[in-house]
Amino acid sequence: MTCWYEGPLAAFDTETTGVDVETDRIVSAAVVVQDAPGFRPRVHRWLVNPGVPVPEAATAVHGLTDEHLQRNGRWPAPVMHELAEELAEQAALGRPLVVMNAPFDLTLLDRELRRHRASSLDGWFEASPLRVLDPRVLDKHLDRYRKGRRTLTDLCTHYGVALQDAHDAGADALAALEVVRALGRRFAARLERLTPAELHTLQTGWHAAQARGLQAWFARSGTEETVDPSWPLRPDLPAAAA
């Protein structure tokens, strides 16, 4: 029987106006589907006119300017519907969804759905649950004592995955997918007997433990920053941006 990391996978990534999931907006997104290792991936892309200015700092990261997005981007409401629909379709087909740092991208999509569609991301997965594979959570749990940062670029270097056009949603999604395949092979003895559904549940606990550890480190260093233990989606806040 084929292990999950050698079978069909999908991946999701976004580029945004910033790093605050409650107030920032999606400016581009991609869903990548690959039926098996070595197969040509299918890349679905969306470009969004967010309706708010894109800070220069964000443009410096992903290269998308206000002018470009206003000229070529679509309005957010239909795009957010299409994104949720695409992720729901992947869940219905039984494909695990790779999302690097899932609480960021999935929560941002949820807030955009609330903002523009008066709906939530959870509502799309009532029939077929979402099974998320987060390379950041998996790597931190399986190789917890390794020193150094664990950004997507760092993980690609560590696992020997090529990353071209970093901070392009399609390129980042594909790289994250390949990292998960490489990670699965490296830790096959610990992962091959687990199903994506079981891994999804386990990652909820692993991420919470990782968040507690980071919170304790912040406390020791005198940093006033709160780490949310929720995974793969942060709960809605009463004062979420409208």
Side-chain angles (χ1 to χ4, degrees), residues 70-86:
Q70 288 169 11
R71 181 177 299 172
N72 301 289
R74 297 169 57 203
W75 289 114
V79 172
M80 300 314 148
H81 178 90
E82 290 170 17
L83 284 172
E85 188 174 50
E86 179 68 27

Side-chain angles (χ1 to χ4, degrees), residues 27-234:
V27 296
S28 70
V31 173
V32 174
V33 178
Q34 188 183 46
D35 294 325
F39 280 50
R40 184 173 182 175
R42 301 186 294 280
V43 183
H44 309 272
R45 300 176 183 273
W46 291 262
L47 194 65
V48 186
N49 179 355
V52 299
V54 180
E56 291 183 5
T59 297
V61 172
H62 49 59
L64 297 172
T65 64
D66 277 331
E67 181 181 2
H68 180 75
L69 293 171
Q70 288 169 11
R71 181 177 299 172
N72 301 289
R74 297 169 57 203
W75 289 114
V79 172
M80 300 314 148
H81 178 90
E82 290 170 17
L83 284 172
E85 188 174 50
E86 179 68 27
L87 298 190
E89 180 179 342
Q90 299 307 320
L93 292 170
R95 292 193 186 108
L97 183 70
V98 175
V99 190
M100 175 72 184
N101 192 16
F104 178 78
D105 293 85
L106 294 182
T107 303
L108 195 61
L109 176 55
D110 175 78
R111 301 312 191 251
E112 289 277 55
L113 286 166
R114 293 173 186 272
R115 184 178 292 119
H116 297 291
R117 304 291 305 190
S119 63
S120 68
L121 187 59
D122 277 339
W124 285 86
F125 302 105
E126 293 173 352
S128 301
L130 189 63
R131 308 302 188 194
V132 176
L133 299 170
D134 188 333
R136 186 169 181 265
V137 174
L138 291 169
D139 177 70
K140 288 182 73 173
H141 178 79
L142 295 165
D143 199 1
R144 67 182 69 184
Y145 299 114
R146 190 177 80 249
K147 304 282 188 187
R149 302 191 315 161
R150 302 189 192 231
T151 66
L152 179 58
T153 300
D154 299 320
L155 295 187
C156 286
T157 299
H158 182 71
Y159 288 101
V161 171
L163 173 57
Q164 300 177 342
D165 299 322
H167 300 297
D168 169 85
D172 286 357
L174 178 59
L177 185 152
E178 295 290 359
V179 165
V180 164
R181 291 202 190 281
L183 190 151
R185 296 184 193 107
R186 183 169 300 188
F187 297 99
R190 299 167 64 181
L191 295 176
E192 62 185 358
R193 292 181 179 85
L194 295 170
T195 66
E198 291 169 331
L199 267 176
H200 182 102
T201 300
L202 287 169
Q203 286 170 99
T204 302
W206 295 345
H207 179 271
Q210 293 161 10
R212 289 193 298 270
L214 183 56
Q215 191 71 73
W217 185 86
F218 282 149
R220 290 193 301 272
S221 63
T223 302
E224 295 183 2
E225 187 168 339
T226 301
V227 184
D228 195 321
S230 304
W231 184 95
L233 184 66
R234 296 179 189 174

